[in-house]
Amino acid sequence: MQTLQQTHFQFPGQKSVYHGKVRDVYTLENDLLVMIATDRISAFDAVLPRGIPYKGQILNQLAAHMMRATEDIVPNWLQATPDPNVAIGQACEPYKIEMVIRGYLSGHAAREYKKGARILCGEPMPEGMKENDAFPTPIITPATKAEQGAHDEDISKQAIISRGIVSAEEYQQLETYTHALFKRGTEMAAAQGLILVDTKYEFGKNKDGQIVLIDEIHTPDSSRYFYAAGYKERQSKGEPQKQLSKEFVRQWLISNNFQGLEGQTMPKIPDEFIQTVTQRYTELYETITGLSFHREDASNINKRIEDNVVNFLLTK
């Protein structure tokens, strides 16, 4: 089954291209960005050697769905999705932080808690919590946007402002948007029988100086979801939560002795695991949107994308 792992397009008016961990971003004239969601998958800041069939299409369509569902809260960069793997929108100057918000003690926060940490990014974490317990109120734990090849790092609100990464006034707006988006995401998840556990948002500033939401939101690459049914029972018994997120990929890597640390070797990825990841991503898309996922023709993904993007640009 063909996967989209590399792109090397030359679109009309193209000025530059940036190849990220999972997305390739083409900058065109007139402040247009063409963002292509590939089938690459990353964990622990490392890209796995094999692509995941339909992952790019799922992420792109889910991100677009969520952008449209939250555009009344904060303006966003998205203008069109001319191909299942492609989003086109306005270029922005990104803030060099990720606004991570956590409603539950899970993932990175849980790992830090087990090490004895009771403060994360300047935010207190109460004593006596178990993994996957809900925080009294959601906490924002920002991370720096690392340069390519480097790890993102936790950072506090105070450090962000004191270092001049974001002004105090702008940070307050980002904080307000983050809480409002998380509330909407939580409500949307609950309507589908899910719990939005934690997520991250990225923001930028457009040419008019307006703060806008960029990148993706509420996808399994940026968010963690639990099934609401049985959550309390599993917590009371100390059992792992049934979840829809990329955490199971991280856990598989951990079980195969890889956490992106120096000297560690990426394990070989078996076919069965690849199929499981596709199934998990498809399940999340259908569960959170309530829509059926339609697999687009993947026999020649690169040509399909090029044709659809060029046609869009020529008729725009």
Side-chain angles (χ1 to χ4, degrees):
M1 193 177 297
Q2 188 185 17
T3 57
L4 180 66
Q5 290 188 267
Q6 302 292 332
T7 72
H8 303 283
F9 297 116
Q10 190 63 48
F11 296 121
Q14 183 172 315
K15 296 165 64 176
S16 64
V17 60
Y18 168 75
H19 299 282
K21 292 173 190 168
V22 298
R23 283 176 171 76
D24 293 344
V25 183
Y26 291 79
T27 302
L28 312 185
E29 296 171 348
N30 301 320
D31 294 312
L32 272 186
L33 288 185
V34 177
M35 188 179 290
I36 300 174
T38 73
D39 294 323
R40 299 192 295 268
I41 187 169
S42 70
F44 297 116
D45 292 316
V47 177
L48 276 63
R50 297 183 63 184
I52 306 299
Y54 300 103
K55 173 182 174 284
Q57 180 188 339
I58 290 169
L59 284 189
N60 188 60
Q61 293 187 330
L62 181 53
H65 175 84
M66 291 299 175
M67 284 285 185
R68 293 178 182 121
T70 56
E71 59 189 3
D72 61 313
I73 295 173
V74 52
N76 64 61
W77 78 286
L78 184 65
Q79 293 180 359
T81 52
D83 181 271
N85 287 68
V86 177
I88 295 180
Q90 60 184 141
C92 302
E93 181 64 34
Y95 290 103
K96 295 183 179 180
I97 56 168
E98 295 178 346
M99 296 296 285
V100 181
I101 182 166
R102 304 177 185 277
Y104 294 74
L105 182 67
S106 299
H108 172 63
R111 290 189 283 270
E112 291 299 304
Y113 196 89
K114 285 179 181 177
K115 294 176 186 176
R118 293 297 179 268
I119 294 179
L120 185 62
C121 301
E123 292 288 334
M125 298 186 290
E127 289 287 350
M129 293 187 71
K130 296 186 302 183
E131 184 172 3
N132 300 330
D133 277 351
F135 287 115
T137 57
I139 62 172
I140 293 178
T141 60
T144 58
K145 282 291 291 176
E147 298 298 323
Q148 194 169 10
H151 288 270
D152 295 346
E153 294 183 357
D154 293 337
I155 188 170
S156 68
K157 170 183 177 177
Q158 293 73 19
I160 289 169
I161 295 170
S162 65
R163 292 185 197 176
I165 300 173
V166 177
S167 71
E169 183 181 6
E170 288 174 319
Y171 188 87
Q172 184 59 53
Q173 184 64 73
L174 298 183
E175 204 171 57
T176 299
Y177 281 149
T178 297
H179 279 294
L181 288 166
F182 190 67
K183 183 175 183 291
R184 176 68 56 81
T186 297
E187 293 166 349
M188 292 178 68
Q192 298 296 329
L194 295 173
I195 295 170
L196 178 58
V197 177
D198 54 42
T199 191
K200 69 180 179 71
Y201 304 112
E202 296 185 42
F203 298 91
K205 191 178 287 188
N206 65 17
K207 61 183 179 181
D208 298 321
Q210 183 182 38
I211 294 176
V212 297
L213 183 62
I214 62 174
D215 199 49
E216 62 176 20
I217 65 167
H218 301 160
T219 74
D221 270 23
S222 65
S223 312
R224 191 187 325 270
Y225 291 91
F226 292 158
Y227 282 91
Y231 166 80
K232 291 181 179 178
E233 291 78 4
R234 283 187 284 270
Q235 278 304 97
S236 66
K237 295 176 182 177
E239 296 175 352
Q241 288 296 330
K242 185 181 179 185
Q243 61 175 287
L244 281 173
S245 73
K246 203 169 64 173
E247 182 66 15
F248 77 96
V249 176
R250 299 186 190 96
Q251 291 302 324
W252 184 88
L253 290 171
I254 290 172
S255 69
N256 284 273
N257 304 310
F258 183 83
Q259 294 185 64
L261 303 176
E262 190 174 348
Q264 292 184 333
T265 302
M266 175 73 71
K268 291 185 178 180
I269 315 296
D271 290 345
E272 296 77 11
F273 184 69
I274 296 292
Q275 293 169 6
T276 297
V277 180
T278 293
Q279 290 167 359
R280 289 283 193 98
Y281 272 74
T282 302
E283 184 182 1
L284 188 139
Y285 175 88
E286 294 186 337
T287 302
I288 195 167
T289 64
L291 305 172
S292 295
F293 177 68
H294 172 70
R295 296 186 174 194
E296 291 291 334
D297 180 12
S299 58
N300 194 336
I301 305 175
N302 281 274
K303 185 177 188 307
R304 187 198 74 203
I305 289 174
E306 184 171 28
D307 289 347
N308 285 336
V309 171
V310 170
N311 287 338
F312 172 81
L313 294 173
L314 292 177
T315 57
K316 190 177 182 299

